[in-house]
Amino acid sequence: MDWVNHHWLDLMAIGIIVTGFYWCFRREVGVGWQGFKPSFYIRGLWAVFLGIALIGGGASYLFMNSTFMKVDTCLDSGGSYNYQEQMCEYA
């Protein structure tokens, strides 16, 4: 369970990417309030564009949450990054 607590944002980004692929595959996006029938649908090429936007947003988040950003955040906060243990260490 500790792994899930540590990587839940990565899992959320992967879910966003999967949703983008789903929208591209279906070529349809329902728009409306959650729990109710969709008010209208975005279909065709616009649905594919929205799917590609989700894929790009999720992928960019995964990149920004990569080791590069973890190291940068660690160094900005005054720590030193231990690459072998992949942890930020403070003196």
Side-chain angles (χ1 to χ4, degrees):
M1 195 64 177
D2 186 46
W3 184 87
V4 173
N5 289 334
H6 186 65
H7 294 286
W8 72 274
L9 289 173
D10 294 337
L11 294 173
M12 186 174 62
I14 291 170
I16 290 171
I17 292 170
V18 168
T19 302
F21 277 113
Y22 179 72
W23 287 359
C24 287
F25 176 73
R26 277 194 75 202
R27 295 178 185 255
E28 180 178 79
V29 178
V31 179
W33 294 100
Q34 185 175 356
F36 296 98
K37 285 177 51 176
S39 301
F40 62 95
Y41 290 90
I42 298 174
R43 293 187 171 101
L45 199 54
W46 286 108
V48 173
F49 287 147
L50 288 174
I52 290 171
L54 279 182
I55 293 168
S60 66
Y61 177 80
L62 283 176
F63 171 74
M64 293 302 289
N65 198 30
S66 66
T67 304
F68 168 75
M69 290 305 292
K70 291 176 185 173
V71 171
D72 186 49
T73 303
C74 176
L75 295 177
D76 287 346
S77 66
S80 63
Y81 194 78
N82 185 339
Y83 287 95
Q84 292 176 342
E85 295 185 23
Q86 297 184 357
M87 292 180 60
C88 187
E89 298 175 344
Y90 298 96

